């Protein structure tokens, strides 16, 4: 290390925060005009390493402020305050097809942010940093409660915000890969909305019978929330991504039991299997379009225009036309993002254009193309999350009626 670089200081503020919370990375006391590389390294729950880096030149006072200064190259360029998170990629030499997903939300995502002398592109493991800071990124805010749910044959996890409640709630569904995915629900609870993460494809009953859940399964989850003492039973929404979108739309349009306050559908379709039950994923060979005129609650559609997995943009256009003909298009909000792909997740989740995927009901793993360009996709994640939270708050906390005709507190 050059003697003049020994006094370099690095800070990240806040060093402990929510996953969707911005931070400020500041380098100080570097020689003026120094070439510096700011680097982020994360080891995910499955043991794989992810990193990102950017090149900067210190100003006349020896400072680099990542929130204000321009990256000259690396895994991102330009002024990108959160670029070291959203541009994380598998470290060189990793096996192909990885995707970063938080499995244990009760522990933080740990990211080591370091600053190195010179403009480096590789070999970070063999270099000695000028300074390093360990950053904690949480999906669960302090006070959020995680409660496993097995009542009524459910396989689910309830996340309750801090405080006594009662709280409005969201039923949270992911896609065709199955499993109990909790991190979005945990983050929703961190913003004051209770969330029930539901495993509906690999749940206990499904694995034992080989038949996926019927509408009754989701109505059981709805009734569980309705009857919970810390949930506002008349203020329940439903959210789905990918295959979960079809389930959400079907329940919102056809269930006689579920009276949803609103629904959010991400990167999915209104096209459904023709059978009356949900069916097996591998049996989705014959499809029919849902009658969107039946929908009576506000609906937000979030789509990426470079989605290579589902025809989400085309589906959104079809739904808009159907609802216009039916006279309920006032209930519809569409967020459509150019160059965004299929996996639109919470802010600063690293973008992957493709990854390995094993669909429920199959015995093999395939490489799936999700689409999206990293910068545009990351912008879409940040923007859609902010607007989705606003949509949920308007419809769950205000005086909105289930038919969307009255929105106070706007």
């Amino acid at each position: 290390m050059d003697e003049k670089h020994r006094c370099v200081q690095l800070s990240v503020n806040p060093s402990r925060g929510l996953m969707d919370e911005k931070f400020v990375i500041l380098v100080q006391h570097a020689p003026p005009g120094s070439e510096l590389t700011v680097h982020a390294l994360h080891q995910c729950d499955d043991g794989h390493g992810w990193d990102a880096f950017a090149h900067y030149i210190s100003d006349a006072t020896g400072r680099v402020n990542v929130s204000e200064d321009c990256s000259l190259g690396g895994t991102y360029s330009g002024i990108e305050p959160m670029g070291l998170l959203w541009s994380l990629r598998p470290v060189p030499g990793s096996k192909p097809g990885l995707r970063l997903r938080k499995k244990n939300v009760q522990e933080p995502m740990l990211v080591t942010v370091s600053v190195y002398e010179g403009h480096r592109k590789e070999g970070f493991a063999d270099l000695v940093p000028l300074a390093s800071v360990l950053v904690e990124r949480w999906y669960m805010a302090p006070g959020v409660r995680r409660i496993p749910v097995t009542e009524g044959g459910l396989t689910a996890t309830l996340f309750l915000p801090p405080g006594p409640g009662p709280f409005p709630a969201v039923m949270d569904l992911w896609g065709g890969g199955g499993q109990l995915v909790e991190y979005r629900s945990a983050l929703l609870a961190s913003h004051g909305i209770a969330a029930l993460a539901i495993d509906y494809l690999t749940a206990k009953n499904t694995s034992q019978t080989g038949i996926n859940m019927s509408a009754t399964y989701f109505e059981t989850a709805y009734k569980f929330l309705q009857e919970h003492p810390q949930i506002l039973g008349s203020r329940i929404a439903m959210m789905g991504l990918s295959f979960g979108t079809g389930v959400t739309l079907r329940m919102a349009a056809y269930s006689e039991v579920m009276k949803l306050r609103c629904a959010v559908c991400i990167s999915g379709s209104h096209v459904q299997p023709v059978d009356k039950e949900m069916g097996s994923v591998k049996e989705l060979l014959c499809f029919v379009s849902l009658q969107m005129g039946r929908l009576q609650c506000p609906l937000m559609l979030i789509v990426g225009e470079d989605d290579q997995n589902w025809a989400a943009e085309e589906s959104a256009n079809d739904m808009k036309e159907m609802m216009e003909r039916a006279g309920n298009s006032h209930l519809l909000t569409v967020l459509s993002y150019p160059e965004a792909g299929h996996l639109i997740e919470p802010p600063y989740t690293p973008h992957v254009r493709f990854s390995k995927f094993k669909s429920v009901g199959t015995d093999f793993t395939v490489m799936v193309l999700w689409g999206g360009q990293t910068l545009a996709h990351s912008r879409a994640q940040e923007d859609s999350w902010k607007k989705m939270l606003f949509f949920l708050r308007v419809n769950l906390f205000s005086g909105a009626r289930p038919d969307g005709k009255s929105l106070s507190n706007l």
Side-chain angles (χ1 to χ4, degrees):
M1 184 188 303
D2 191 298
E3 184 66 31
K4 60 187 177 181
H5 285 90
R6 290 186 180 276
C7 296
V8 170
Q9 294 182 355
L10 174 67
S11 63
V12 180
N13 186 34
S15 60
R16 186 177 191 271
L18 288 176
M19 187 63 198
D20 60 348
E21 181 179 0
K22 288 187 176 182
F23 52 44
V24 176
I25 300 174
L26 184 63
V27 181
Q28 299 182 87
H29 306 306
S34 295
E35 292 186 347
L36 300 170
T37 299
V38 183
H39 177 260
L41 177 64
H42 168 64
Q43 187 173 39
C44 62
D45 292 347
D46 56 14
H48 296 290
W50 293 67
D51 78 344
F53 67 94
H55 296 154
Y56 294 92
I57 295 179
S58 60
D59 65 15
T61 67
R63 289 163 44 104
V64 170
N65 186 332
V66 172
S67 295
E68 300 176 354
D69 298 335
C70 184
S71 166
L72 303 178
T75 53
Y76 67 90
S77 59
I79 301 174
E80 298 292 343
M82 303 303 293
L84 286 173
L85 284 189
W86 58 250
S87 71
L88 284 167
R89 79 283 161 81
V91 297
S94 299
K95 64 181 182 180
L98 297 178
R99 178 182 172 192
L100 182 56
R101 307 186 83 184
K102 194 76 176 81
K103 295 179 180 179
N104 181 5
V105 297
Q106 297 181 94
E107 298 292 336
M109 175 184 179
L110 297 176
V111 182
T112 301
V113 179
S114 303
V115 58
Y116 293 90
E117 180 183 356
H119 284 169
R120 310 290 184 175
K121 295 182 179 180
E122 57 187 3
F124 292 100
D126 300 322
L127 298 174
V128 177
L130 301 174
S132 295
V133 173
L134 184 63
V135 178
E136 295 183 6
R137 306 291 292 176
W138 288 84
Y139 287 94
M140 285 180 67
V144 170
R145 289 153 290 170
R146 177 186 178 274
I147 305 168
V149 177
T150 57
E151 287 89 332
L154 295 173
T155 300
T157 305
L158 176 63
F159 290 88
L160 292 173
F167 308 100
V170 174
M171 299 168 61
D172 187 11
L173 279 60
W174 286 77
Q179 306 300 323
L180 188 57
V181 183
E182 298 182 348
Y183 56 89
R184 186 170 60 195
S185 290
L187 196 54
L188 286 170
S190 297
H191 287 281
I193 302 172
L196 185 68
I198 304 173
D199 180 0
Y200 62 101
L201 292 176
T202 55
K204 182 179 179 180
N205 290 347
T206 304
S207 60
Q208 290 178 348
T209 64
I211 302 174
N212 288 337
M213 297 302 171
S214 68
T216 304
Y217 185 74
F218 302 99
E219 290 170 347
T220 298
Y222 180 83
K223 291 176 182 177
F224 166 80
L225 289 174
Q226 269 194 320
E227 296 168 2
H228 196 285
Q230 291 182 280
I231 300 298
L232 290 167
S234 64
R235 294 174 181 260
I236 299 173
M238 194 168 185
M239 174 188 304
L241 179 142
S242 191
F243 189 78
T245 282
V247 178
T248 298
L249 290 172
R250 174 174 286 202
M251 301 310 298
Y254 290 92
S255 175
E256 297 294 332
V257 173
M258 296 172 56
K259 306 301 179 185
L260 297 174
R261 197 75 175 211
C262 62
V264 177
C265 294
I266 307 168
S267 303
S269 175
H270 63 303
V271 177
Q272 296 283 294
V274 296
D275 61 309
K276 294 182 180 180
E277 302 299 332
M278 295 301 170
S280 170
V281 174
K282 64 182 178 181
E283 294 171 354
L284 299 186
L285 302 176
C286 300
F287 299 88
V288 65
S289 176
L290 289 176
Q291 297 304 307
M292 298 307 298
R294 295 176 58 94
L295 193 73
Q296 297 182 38
C297 70
L299 170 66
M300 171 174 278
L301 302 177
I302 301 173
V303 300
E305 295 176 16
D306 189 37
D307 189 334
Q308 300 296 309
N309 189 254
W310 285 76
E313 182 184 11
E314 293 81 358
S315 177
N317 291 334
D318 286 349
M319 283 189 274
K320 182 178 179 181
E321 292 179 5
M322 293 171 67
M323 293 178 72
E324 286 175 348
R325 290 196 299 269
N328 63 344
S329 60
H330 63 285
L331 298 173
L332 179 64
T333 300
V334 180
L335 304 180
S336 186
Y337 295 97
E339 297 188 328
H342 183 72
L343 300 175
I344 299 177
E345 302 203 60
Y348 319 128
T349 301
H351 166 250
V352 291
R353 186 167 173 81
F354 61 92
S355 72
K356 291 182 178 178
F357 179 80
K358 183 178 180 181
S359 180
V360 172
T362 64
D363 298 321
F364 53 88
T365 299
V366 297
M367 197 72 75
V368 171
L369 180 61
W370 306 113
Q373 303 300 318
T374 298
L375 178 59
H377 187 89
S378 300
R379 293 272 196 274
Q381 290 188 150
E382 186 173 358
D383 185 74
S384 63
W385 180 257
K386 176 179 64 177
K387 291 176 178 176
M388 182 194 72
L389 285 178
F390 180 78
F391 175 83
L392 290 173
R393 286 168 178 152
V394 165
N395 288 291
L396 292 176
F397 286 91
S398 75
R401 286 169 39 179
D403 63 5
K405 293 183 179 179
S406 174
L407 290 178
S408 61
N409 302 334
L410 267 180

